[in-house]
């Protein structure tokens, strides 16, 4: 485990540094969880349609930034760009769009009982703050597959990217902020 502070991250292809990023301390993690708890009430009270709109806006930003994301994903994982551009990043965008559309469909329903004197109601409620820990091999795609379903149903998320490939998950946080979500993910 890395100590908190700033660390140089090399590409596995050449072992040359490609970024210098901060590593979180326990206090930073607690601050992120606190921010996610604070953001939870507002996010969970949004309608599924409103959450989906934010997520679709983020997906559109990802699509616009696809060449940049593919370049970083290739450098971060050591994969060739001819894999990250047509596969890794489009799969991440597709996951975002899929779970955004699921947010629109999650609704409670009534279960009829005999004599119509009463009814049972099924409703879905978010848990609260969810942790998402993602691996190194498809960092952006698996981040979207972990973060987006939680967001779609109204949870807030504290994400921990792999220390072997942290760059595109960090950029995902920037994309969420650009899409209009509050920067609760930031622990500056």
């Amino acid at each position: 485990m890395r100590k908190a502070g700033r660390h140089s991250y090399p590409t596995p292809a050449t072992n040359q540094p490609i970024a210098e990023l901060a590593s979180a301390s326990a206090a930073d993690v607690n601050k992120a969880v606190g921010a996610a708890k604070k953001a939870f009430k507002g996010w969970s009270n949004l309608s599924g349609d409103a959450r989906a709109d934010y997520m679709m806006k983020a997906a559109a930003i990802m699509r616009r930034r696809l060449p940049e994301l593919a370049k970083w994903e290739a450098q971060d994982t050591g994969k060739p760009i001819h894999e990250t551009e047509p596969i890794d990043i489009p799969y991440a965008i597709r996951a975002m769009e899929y779970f955004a559309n699921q947010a629109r469909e999650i609704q409670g329903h009534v279960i009829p009982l005999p004599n119509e004197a009463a009814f049972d109601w099924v409703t879905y409620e978010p848990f609260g703050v969810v942790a998402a820990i993602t691996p190194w091999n498809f960092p952006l795609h698996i981040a979207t597959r972990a973060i987006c379903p939680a967001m779609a149903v109204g949870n807030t998320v504290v994400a921990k990217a792999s220390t072997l490939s942290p760059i595109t998950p960090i950029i995902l946080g920037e994309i969420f902020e650009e899409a209009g979500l509050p920067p609760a993910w930031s622990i500056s």
Side-chain angles (χ1 to χ4, degrees):
M1 182 169 156
R2 291 178 185 254
K3 290 183 177 180
R6 298 199 63 80
H7 298 279
S8 180
Y9 286 88
T11 178
T14 65
N15 208 31
Q16 295 299 308
I18 56 171
E20 186 175 303
L21 303 170
S23 295
S25 67
D28 293 329
V29 173
N30 289 335
K31 187 175 177 183
V33 171
K37 283 180 181 178
K38 186 176 177 183
F40 174 71
K41 184 174 181 177
W43 182 254
S44 65
N45 285 330
L46 290 176
S47 69
D49 283 335
R51 289 190 300 265
D53 289 345
Y54 279 113
M55 293 170 69
M56 291 300 280
K57 187 171 181 185
I61 294 165
M62 289 171 71
R63 192 173 305 287
R64 184 188 80 230
R65 293 177 67 176
L66 191 148
E68 172 197 2
L69 290 167
K71 179 192 102 175
W72 279 114
E73 189 95 342
Q75 289 182 352
D76 211 12
T77 60
K79 291 181 180 183
I81 198 154
H82 71 263
E83 287 182 19
T84 62
E85 197 165 40
I87 299 168
D88 297 35
I89 306 309
Y91 282 18
I93 294 166
R94 176 68 180 117
M96 177 83 70
E97 292 169 340
Y98 174 82
F99 289 113
N101 287 321
Q102 290 299 304
R104 297 184 197 285
E105 301 302 319
I106 299 169
Q107 301 173 15
H109 60 278
V110 173
I111 301 170
L113 296 174
N115 300 328
E116 298 181 17
F119 65 91
D120 283 339
W121 173 255
V122 176
T123 186
Y124 301 96
E125 296 180 20
F127 292 119
V129 178
V130 175
I133 301 172
T134 58
W136 65 270
N137 55 340
F138 283 88
L140 186 59
H141 175 57
I142 296 176
T144 57
R145 289 191 52 191
I147 295 167
C148 294
M151 288 177 56
V153 298
N155 295 301
T156 53
V157 180
V158 174
K160 190 257 180 226
S162 168
T163 57
L164 299 176
S165 55
I167 296 173
T168 53
I170 289 171
I171 294 171
L172 180 61
E174 295 171 2
I175 288 168
F176 282 138
E177 188 174 13
E178 186 178 341
L181 277 78
W185 58 270
S186 176
I187 54 173
S188 56

